[in-house]
């Protein structure tokens, strides 16, 4: 019997459970190119990892002086992204194992993401992760996106879990900051490993990112570290 009674685990989606960033980059690149910005680079995209699609589009609209309203640009970006996400999203194998391990142990788990509800649904359905992660919250459903704690607090509420009983898995600094602000512990698995020094509030930092993450090691950390605050 596991020593995880009372624990709830909240997963970020993009860059944590699945490698969706190439799809987001391509959708954003196509949107910008269609509005006269042909040179959006992967390096620029990396600097936006961890914030919501709405915030990304708003920032890029202001930066490049685009004329269409944010809502129109967001809808276009989401449409392009969904076309890619349904068939081209790769789940990280060890993350899938971890999700399955937690499910086998009866640990409540959920997704809290900056993506739109439609994007979350498409990815969870297309990858099969939805069979295990039946609770999912989008930053579109709360007042503020990460690094504000809103999306994590709402996810905990839907799980019926106290924030102090939640552990978050995140790949980006804004998400780690949001978990800390929510009063939750956090396992950080940086998508951009060169940015690992930004993850100052993580309780467990895997500097090597997904290459360093294993389901068994994460599970062992939970059971051996006494995940409850103050233990």
């Amino acid at each position: 019997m596991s020593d995880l009674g009372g624990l709830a685990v909240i997963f970020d989606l993009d860059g944590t459970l699945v490698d969706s960033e190439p799809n987001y980059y391509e959708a954003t690149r196509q949107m910008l190119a269609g509005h006269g910005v042909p040179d959006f680079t992967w390096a620029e995209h990396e600097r936006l990892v961890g914030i919501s699609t709405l915030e990304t589009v708003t920032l890029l609209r202001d930066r490049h002086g685009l004329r269409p309203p944010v809502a129109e640009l967001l809808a276009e970006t989401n449409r392009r992204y969904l076309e890619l996400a349904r068939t081209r999203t790769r789940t990280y194998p060890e993350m899938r194992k971890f999700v399955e391990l937690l499910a086998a142990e009866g640990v409540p788990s959920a997704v809290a993401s900056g993506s739109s509800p439609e994007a979350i649904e498409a990815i969870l359905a297309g990858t099969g992760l939805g069979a295990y992660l039946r609770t999912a919250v989008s930053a579109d459903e709360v007042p503020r996106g990460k690094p504000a704690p809103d999306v994590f607090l709402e996810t905990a509420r839907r799980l019926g879990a106290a924030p102090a009983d939640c552990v978050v898995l995140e790949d980006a600094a804004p998400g780690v900051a949001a978990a800390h602000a929510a009063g939750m512990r956090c396992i950080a698995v940086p998508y951009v490993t060169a940015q690992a020094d930004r993850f100052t509030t993580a309780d467990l930092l895997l500097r090597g990112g997904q290459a360093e993450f294993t389901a068994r090691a994460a599970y062992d950390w939970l059971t051996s570290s006494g995940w409850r605050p103050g233990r």
Side-chain angles (χ1 to χ4, degrees), residues 2-85:
S2 74
D3 187 33
L4 299 180
L7 171 70
V9 176
I10 302 175
F11 291 89
D12 172 59
L13 183 62
D14 304 297
T16 299
L17 279 173
V18 298
D19 188 13
S20 52
E21 292 302 335
N23 293 339
Y24 271 112
Y25 166 67
E26 182 59 19
T28 305
R29 188 197 66 76
Q30 290 176 9
M31 181 275 290
L32 288 173
H35 293 277
V37 183
D39 54 354
F40 183 65
T41 67
W42 175 256
E44 290 177 280
H45 174 78
E46 280 191 332
R47 290 193 286 272
L48 301 171
V49 169
I51 65 173
S52 71
T53 311
L54 172 59
E55 290 169 298
T56 295
V57 169
T58 301
L59 187 153
L60 291 173
R61 178 182 183 273
D62 292 342
R63 179 180 298 170
H64 296 289
L66 304 182
R67 297 180 64 87
V70 168
E72 181 180 325
L73 297 173
L74 178 63
E76 179 183 348
T77 303
N78 283 337
R79 175 180 57 77
R80 293 179 182 278
Y81 174 74
L82 285 172
E83 293 172 357
L84 299 166

Side-chain angles (χ1 to χ4, degrees), residues 49-183:
V49 169
I51 65 173
S52 71
T53 311
L54 172 59
E55 290 169 298
T56 295
V57 169
T58 301
L59 187 153
L60 291 173
R61 178 182 183 273
D62 292 342
R63 179 180 298 170
H64 296 289
L66 304 182
R67 297 180 64 87
V70 168
E72 181 180 325
L73 297 173
L74 178 63
E76 179 183 348
T77 303
N78 283 337
R79 175 180 57 77
R80 293 179 182 278
Y81 174 74
L82 285 172
E83 293 172 357
L84 299 166
R86 290 189 179 98
T87 57
R88 288 176 47 177
T89 303
R90 182 179 75 90
T91 305
Y92 292 114
E94 286 295 322
M95 281 291 174
R96 183 184 292 275
K97 290 180 184 177
F98 191 44
V99 169
E100 294 172 350
L101 180 56
L102 293 172
E105 293 290 345
V107 176
S109 301
V111 165
S113 172
S115 293
S116 68
E118 295 79 12
I120 296 170
E121 181 180 1
I123 289 176
L124 292 180
T127 60
L129 289 171
Y132 305 99
L133 300 165
R134 300 187 182 278
T135 298
V137 182
S138 164
D140 292 359
E141 302 174 76
V142 296
R144 301 172 297 170
K146 304 170 188 176
D150 302 29
V151 69
F152 288 134
L153 292 173
E154 174 61 16
T155 305
R157 187 191 69 79
R158 294 190 194 182
L159 288 174
D165 291 337
C166 296
V167 172
V168 171
L169 278 87
E170 261 287 353
D171 74 295
V176 175
H180 181 71

